[in-house]
Every structure is written in structure tokens, then in C-alpha cells.
Amino acid sequence: MDDELLRKYAYVISSTYRVRVIEGLDGEVLIPSKISKKIDLESKFVSKALRELKDKGLVECVNEEYRKGRLYRLTSEGEGVIELLEKYEQSFLPVKRVWMGRISSSH
């Protein structure tokens, strides 16, 4: 396994926001507001996570020249991180249950 990909994986899992955003983009090309709705996360947190993931080369904007309606998708490295998340997901199930419980109890 590539050490650089493992470092990027470690970076992603250090933030539940980054995990949620990268999982929300899995197999999709979306604008930030759609990501926000899909993963039930405020847009300011989605925007920050997208910026961080883009800086690490895990997400790309396909129409950077637009101010509104920017579309984001995973890069091949981002897809690699998704594969690692799926591989090691069992270890994150307790964490996911906690934040999913917080989401459902806050509505």
C-alpha cells in the first residue's frame, strides 16, 4: 500500500467533516449545497472540508472558473481513500453511530 495514500487517509479520518464530505462525493459530481443536503452538514463546514480535501489532492473542482455552481468530484487518490474507508469501516462503526445518533436526535 502506498505510504502517501495512507497519510492522506489518516488526514481524512482525523475529521468527521472530511470523512462525511468525501463519502458524500463517492461516485458523484456535486455542488457544495447538494453535498451539504446529502450529508446533513452546514454549508460552511462542507466548504471548509472541500478546500482542505482539494489542497490534499483528494477532491477537484471541474469548473473552477465559475463563482457559483462549482462542481466537485473525487480524484483517483480520493477514490483510493474511499476504498480504505470501506476496508476499515468496521473500526469506525461506533464513531458513525455516535454522530448519526446526534444528527437524528437534533431533528
Side-chain angles (χ1 to χ4, degrees):
M1 194 173 301
D2 182 290
D3 287 348
E4 183 62 23
L5 185 60
L6 284 173
R7 279 192 282 279
K8 290 181 180 189
Y9 167 73
Y11 175 76
V12 170
I13 64 170
S14 69
S15 163
T16 57
Y17 294 159
R18 288 191 288 263
V19 170
R20 289 169 67 187
V21 169
I22 206 166
E23 286 179 339
L25 276 172
D26 188 17
E28 308 236 27
V29 179
L30 298 170
I31 60 174
S33 63
K34 295 288 185 192
I35 300 167
S36 179
K37 286 178 185 165
K38 180 178 179 181
I39 64 172
D40 194 27
L41 185 64
E42 287 184 51
S43 60
K44 65 182 176 181
F45 298 120
V46 169
S47 294
K48 182 178 187 286
L50 282 171
R51 208 169 27 258
E52 293 167 347
L53 293 167
K54 185 172 175 261
D55 288 347
K56 292 289 183 185
L58 300 170
V59 167
E60 65 185 353
C61 179
V62 298
N63 57 344
E64 195 78 45
E65 67 279 4
Y66 291 25
R67 281 200 37 78
K68 290 191 173 213
R70 287 186 177 162
L71 293 164
Y72 290 86
R73 67 178 170 208
L74 296 178
T75 62
S76 59
E77 282 192 313
E79 291 171 1
V81 168
I82 286 288
E83 289 175 18
L84 290 174
L85 286 168
E86 290 169 353
K87 181 176 180 178
Y88 299 115
E89 186 171 331
Q90 291 300 323
S91 62
F92 292 106
L93 286 178
V95 175
K96 277 186 159 182
R97 284 189 196 110
V98 168
W99 64 258
M100 288 304 288
R102 288 183 183 154
I103 290 171
S104 61
S105 65
S106 67
H107 289 116

